[in-house]
Amino acid sequence: MINPHADLHINPPDLDSIDSVDVRTGAEVDPGALSLLPLLGVWRGVGEGDYPGMGPFRYGQLIRFFHDGRPFLGMQSHTWILGADDQPTHLAGRESGWWRPGTGDDIEVILTAADGIVATYAGLARTSTSWDLTSDLVARVPGAPEITAEKRLYGIVDGDLMYAIDMAAFDQPLQPHISARLKRVQ
């Protein structure tokens, strides 16, 4: 039987120093993750959305792409709804996940959302700075939104991270949902 207190003296690594948002600190970037390197960093900006039953809205977002020396990037995203004065009114979605290069130009993305959605995406690096993703599997807990499919396009344009997400949900077909332009802040 394993003693749950036997290893309490072992210090875990400093996790803040393991995950790096740039190539100058932390572990060396794994060559397998080089195709995703332009995403690395902290990005912040504003987006807009609309969907049947939701109405139009504006949101702020912070996305953090990081690496730890292995052949993938981690991603964390925080969003908040903006009022008419562009001030935050309340917190909105959170996602975290992993971007993994596949063979050739293929990529695989696994994302979990705080509202109970887990999705896997199969994708393609369209260029060295743009990635096209289509949901392969969308699973949800019973109380989660009824999302059935997504298509995502990410790209670096004039130094900014831009993306557009189409969504199929609530018995609606796949259609535009949100898009944003984020500036690199780190």
Side-chain angles (χ1 to χ4, degrees), residues 45-60:
V46 174
E48 295 181 346
D50 197 357
Y51 203 76
M54 290 183 186
F57 59 93
R58 286 176 49 84
Y59 63 96

Side-chain angles (χ1 to χ4, degrees), residues 75-78 93-97 111-114 150 152 154:
M75 182 191 114
Q76 297 171 331
S77 169
H78 304 270
R94 291 192 67 174
E95 284 184 332
S96 61
L111 295 177
T112 60
E150 282 190 343
R152 296 180 176 216
Y154 291 81

Side-chain angles (χ1 to χ4, degrees), residues 28-51:
E28 203 168 307
V29 176
D30 187 285
L34 292 178
S35 65
L36 299 172
L37 195 61
L39 293 167
L40 198 60
V42 179
W43 306 85
R44 184 174 53 216
V46 174
E48 295 181 346
D50 197 357
Y51 203 76

Side-chain angles (χ1 to χ4, degrees), residues 32 35-36 100-108 122-125 131-133:
S35 65
L36 299 172
R100 303 166 1 127
T103 57
D105 292 334
D106 294 344
I107 58 172
E108 304 163 341
L124 184 64
W131 303 269
D132 195 356
L133 307 172

Side-chain angles (χ1 to χ4, degrees), residues 132-164:
D132 195 356
L133 307 172
T134 301
S135 60
D136 183 50
L137 167 77
V138 178
R140 60 186 184 88
V141 297
E146 295 177 19
I147 296 171
T148 56
E150 282 190 343
K151 189 161 179 50
R152 296 180 176 216
L153 177 62
Y154 291 81
I156 308 297
V157 179
D158 296 329
D160 295 343
L161 174 61
M162 297 179 70
Y163 69 83

